[in-house]
């Protein structure tokens, strides 16, 4: 039982990181842009959030922690949006190849974050930012209510914010005109254009907002999951790719991202908890193999949805394609 | 007389091609106007200007007597103009209602229930049958068309433009559409219907406006028109082109096509029991309204289609018929090519088939020769010589034979394509729309090339659009209509009217039978 609880306590924060990444990418992909720069964007978000909080704490005598949280969120969001803006400009305005641009953005984001990480922190890479305690503040009464309290209410606010965000995005996509227009653009931009929808504006906004949301995953990783330390950042990249895989797993539906991300979290930590749970010991070299399971599940989902050919589960029809308006 | 729309002196050019030249026409309120014209006569371009897809170079559009500017489809909606294009503008994964909602005014509330209620009212009023919760990808073509019309009416269209609406419909569905059109007319809406089918023109419209080669040829009351009077107006007087036409020298039977039937993915017969012979040293023209099976016919011969079982295409390499006759059906495109049957296909998108845009002339020559020779490394010098000689002989304007062909002008691309196919010394040469979009001089170069091949004893199948050219260049003309061979005429004796009538109406119908 304790193992199971520990497993869940690991899986949910882990899932939250990739849930942010995936939610942002769903918005982006719904506009027809396949942004493979998610890992880079998560680096940008994580670094900007950490650096702003760290610099603020160290420059003010008595830092206001609520302000510090808001500042970190704001900076992470803006930095990630700038990443999305680079991608948008290249792919929407200049019509560069989306895959190449996305991969370049991943490399770029990683490089920028790691370079400035060393530069700003002056080598003190493992220095803690204090704000993580605020990020990890749990609900006062509920979190102490036994097992349920521990597993359901025992996390920082960003875990719940992610779930709420997923629900909001679902509502926007399915029940508002904005969502309808956005989906139309991802499916058939020419038709949307003929209907008087500004394709370029929607694509820019969706891609930048999506990048901003993805970047929050990086912020959550550094300031909450990693306890406010700018270290072991190499993992962000793996998490970014997992977020991209999660988008496919959810079949582009935000609500599926909630349980999907937690499932990915469970599967990712399978190697550490399942053997103990069933009283079985696994040699160390197997663990890396077990960590592949989320990707295998994604492939399985791809195969199943491709076989079923249900149109609702397919990616947006114009995903990855630049839109050229006909000559008029 | 009140007019729904008036066009005054509309001119539109694309580059050097004049699509519409000084066209003036009007549509009365509550009438159905047919817009009639051959392929490329500028009907769709003209209508696209009303619908806001294109903007005229000069001229004026008046809606209900007032001059208007229509710069986008949205402007057109605002003026009560709705166009149903041949390619539907629908989102496949959306329901009918969601597609209707997509074009809504931004300030209107997004309430799918209210939208459905209003749409249902429209359906009831004009007698449409549609399930508003059905996804578009589950709909038939006719249902999609209905949805497009409902969409336009929902957004307050007073003038509806239907671009060849019956081309994709069965006769029963066409009847249904006409009934709905009459309901709309009774309700005071005006309708412009673009069509090639003369019997439909006579059945549904009040007046007929005719375009010929981008120019307005006049409007007549349908009641006073007959099929032959309309055909005459549509094709116009025969223009003498002075294309040389050498007599066939010693013609032999080269190709016998018998009962060729090809179905598309939806099971519709694109070609329906087409039979004909082609002779060496002869140009066989293939005429027809676009999309009546010309492309599929050539592709079937080239081995790119899957004809039905009882189809037969027999090829006779030389005079000694029985010993060497080859059945082409079942052969791969490559083995058909190796027999000397070459398809120089110049489709709508010149670079789409036959050439690779990002490669230079040399590499494009190599596409057909890379398997030759036994060396592990492909031979580049032979294709280079070929490219150089095509460049010189046909006057291809390109900085170098290695410049990507996508950077060449349309005419030059066509010269490269035709030149390559001719260089392979074919015994059957098939070309489709070989002169589409070319200027006069280049067109004559192509005609000259074809005539040279003809005199060498090549059997040529020439799919063309311009009846004047077909009649002047070809020896015989096969007319396709609705995927059927509607007659083969002697080009030296036929008239434009005869070919025009064969293109627009199946013979059986003329004789009183049912198609």
């Amino acid at each position: 039982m304790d193992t199971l609880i520990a497993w869940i306590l690991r899986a949910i924060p882990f899932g939250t990181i990739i849930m942010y990444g995936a939610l942002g990418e769903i918005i982006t992909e719904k506009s027809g842009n396949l942004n493979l720069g998610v890992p880079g964007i998560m680096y940008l978000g994580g670094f900007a959030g950490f650096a702003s909080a760290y610099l603020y704490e160290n420059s003010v005598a008595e830092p206001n922690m609520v302000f510090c949280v808001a500042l970190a969120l704001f900076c992470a969001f803006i930095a990630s949006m700038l990443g999305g803006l680079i991608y948008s400009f290249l792919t929407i305005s200049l019509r560069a190849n989306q895959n190449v641009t996305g991969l370049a953005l991943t490399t770029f984001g990683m490089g920028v974050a790691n370079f400035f990480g060393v530069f700003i922190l002056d080598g003190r890479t493992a220095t803690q930012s204090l704000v993580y305690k605020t990020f990890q503040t749990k609900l006062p009464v509920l979190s102490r209510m036994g097992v349920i309290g521990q597993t359901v209410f025992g996390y920082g606010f960003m875990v719940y914010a992610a779930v709420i965000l997923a629900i909001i995005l679902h509502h926007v996509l399915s029940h508002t005109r904005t969502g309808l227009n956005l989906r139309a653009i991802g499916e058939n931009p020419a038709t949307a254009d003929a209907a008087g929808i500004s394709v370029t504006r929607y694509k820019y906004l969706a891609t930048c907002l999506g990048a901003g949301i993805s970047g929050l995953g990086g912020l959550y990783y550094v300031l909450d999951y990693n306890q406010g330390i700018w270290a072991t950042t190499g993992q962000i990249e793996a998490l970014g790719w997992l977020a991209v895989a999660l988008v496919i797993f959810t079949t582009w539906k935000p609500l599926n991202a909630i349980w999907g991300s937690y499932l990915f979290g469970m599967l990712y930590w399978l190697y550490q908890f399942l053997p103990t749970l069933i009283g079985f010991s696994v040699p160390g070299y197997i663990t890396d193999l077990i960590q592949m399971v989320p990707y295998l599940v994604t492939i399985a989902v791809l195969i199943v949805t491709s076989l079923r050919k249900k149109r609702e589960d397919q990616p947006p029809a114009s995903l990855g394609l630049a839109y050229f308006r006909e000559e008029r | 007389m009140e007019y729904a729309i008036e066009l005054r002196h509309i001119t539109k050019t694309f580059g050097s091609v004049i699509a519409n030249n000084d066209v003036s026409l009007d549509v009365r309120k509550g009438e159905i106007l047919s817009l009639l014209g051959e392929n490329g006569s500028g009907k769709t371009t003209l209508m696209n200007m009303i619908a806001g897809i294109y903007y005229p170079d000069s001229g004026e559009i008046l809606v209900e007597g007032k001059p208007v500017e229509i710069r986008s489809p949205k402007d057109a909606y605002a003026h009560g103009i709705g166009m149903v294009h041949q390619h539907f503008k629908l989102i496949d994964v959306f329901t009918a209602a969601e597609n209707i909602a997509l074009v809504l005014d931004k300030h209107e509330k997004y309430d799918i229930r209210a939208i459905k209620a209003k749409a249902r009212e429209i359906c009831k009023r004009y007698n449409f049958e549609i399930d508003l919760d059905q996804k578009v990808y589950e709909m038939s073509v006719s249902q999609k068309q209905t949805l497009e019309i409902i969409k336009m009416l929902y957004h307050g269209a007073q003038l509806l433009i239907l671009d060849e609406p019956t081309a994709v419909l069965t006769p029963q569905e066409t009847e249904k559409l006409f009934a709905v059109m009459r309901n709309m007319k009774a309700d005071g809406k005006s309708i412009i219907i673009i069509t090639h089918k003369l019997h439909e023109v006579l059945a549904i419209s009040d007046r007929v406006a005719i375009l010929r080669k981008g120019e307005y040829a006049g409007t007549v009351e349908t009641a006073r028109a007959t099929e032959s009077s309309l055909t005459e107006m549509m094709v116009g007087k025969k223009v003498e082109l002075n294309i040389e036409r050498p007599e066939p020298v010693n013609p032999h039977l080269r190709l016998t096509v018998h009962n060729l039937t090809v179905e598309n993915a939806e099971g519709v017969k694109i070609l329906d029991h087409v039979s004909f012979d082609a002779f060496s040293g002869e140009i066989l023209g293939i005429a027809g309204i676009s999309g009546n099976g010309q492309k599929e016919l050539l592709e079937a011969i080239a081995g790119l289609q899957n004809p039905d079982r009882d189809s037969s295409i027999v090829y006779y390499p030389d005079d000694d018929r029985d010993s060497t006759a080859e059945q082409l059906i079942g052969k791969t495109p490559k083995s058909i090519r190796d027999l000397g049957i070459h398809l120089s296909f110049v489709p709508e998108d010149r670079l789409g088939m036959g050439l690779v845009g990002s490669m230079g002339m040399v590499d494009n020559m190599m596409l057909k020769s890379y398997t030759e020779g036994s060396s592990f490394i492909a031979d580049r010098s032979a294709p280079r010589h070929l490219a150089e000689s095509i460049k010189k002989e046909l006057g291809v304007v390109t900085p170098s034979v290695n410049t990507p062909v996508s950077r060449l002008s349309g005419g030059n691309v066509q010269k490269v394509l035709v030149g390559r196919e001719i260089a392979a010394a074919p015994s059957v040469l098939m070309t489709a729309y070989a002169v589409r979009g070319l200027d006069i001089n280049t067109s004559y170069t192509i005609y000259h090339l074809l005539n040279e091949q003809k005199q060498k004893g090549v059997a040529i199948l020439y799919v063309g659009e311009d009846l004047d050219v077909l009649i002047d260049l070809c020896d015989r003309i096969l007319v396709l209509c609705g995927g059927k061979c509607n007659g083969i005429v002697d080009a030296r004796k036929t008239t434009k009217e005869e070919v025009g009538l064969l293109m627009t109406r199946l013979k059986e119908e003329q004789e009183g039978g049912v198609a």
Side-chain angles (χ1 to χ4, degrees), chain B residues 236-382:
Chain B
K237 291 271 172 294
K238 175 82 183 68
V239 184
E240 284 311 315
L241 293 169
N242 294 318
I243 301 172
E244 53 171 329
R245 174 163 49 190
E247 287 294 322
V249 187
N250 191 17
H252 299 297
L253 185 63
R254 242 317 123 68
L255 203 62
T256 298
V257 173
H258 188 67
N259 273 341
L260 180 61
T261 303
V262 171
E263 286 182 3
N264 68 4
E266 282 92 50
V268 178
K269 280 183 184 163
I270 302 295
L271 288 174
D272 192 356
H273 294 88
V274 173
S275 302
F276 66 92
D277 293 329
F279 296 89
S280 66
E282 176 203 63
I283 300 184
L284 175 66
I286 295 169
I289 308 285
S290 63
N292 273 272
Q294 297 95 315
K295 179 174 164 240
E296 288 76 10
L297 176 60
L298 299 196
E299 285 182 351
I301 297 172
L304 300 172
Q305 293 276 353
N306 270 323
D308 277 11
R309 244 176 262 150
D310 54 348
S311 313
S312 137
I313 304 172
V314 181
Y315 169 68
Y316 306 101
D318 48 47
D319 302 340
D320 186 10
R321 284 192 193 172
D322 299 325
S323 62
T324 51
E326 300 253 13
Q327 174 60 251
L328 297 187
I329 287 177
K331 283 198 162 50
T332 63
K334 189 176 175 301
S335 54
I336 292 177
R337 258 191 77 87
D338 291 343
L339 285 172
I341 300 169
H342 284 218
L343 174 63
S344 150
F345 202 73
V346 187
E348 290 75 7
D349 168 17
R350 285 187 200 98
L351 292 170
M353 246 176 109
L355 296 176
V356 177
S358 58
M359 302 198 321
M361 276 177 76
V362 176
D363 289 348
N364 271 300
M365 298 301 138
M366 259 180 87
L367 281 182
K368 302 277 169 166
S369 67
Y370 70 95
T371 50
E372 287 164 18
S374 54
S375 163
F376 177 70
I377 296 160
D379 175 18
R380 278 186 69 87
S381 66

Side-chain angles (χ1 to χ4, degrees), chain B residues 9 12 62 78-79 86 107 152 203 219 235 242 244 254 274 290 298 301 307 317 330 358 385 416 434 444 451 494 501:
Chain B
H9 310 294
K12 174 78 187 172
L62 284 81
H79 292 298
Q86 272 179 290
H107 308 291
M152 297 305 157
T219 303
V235 296
N242 294 318
E244 53 171 329
R254 242 317 123 68
V274 173
S290 63
L298 299 196
I301 297 172
S358 58
H385 290 309
V416 173
Y444 274 76
N451 273 327
T494 190
L501 268 177

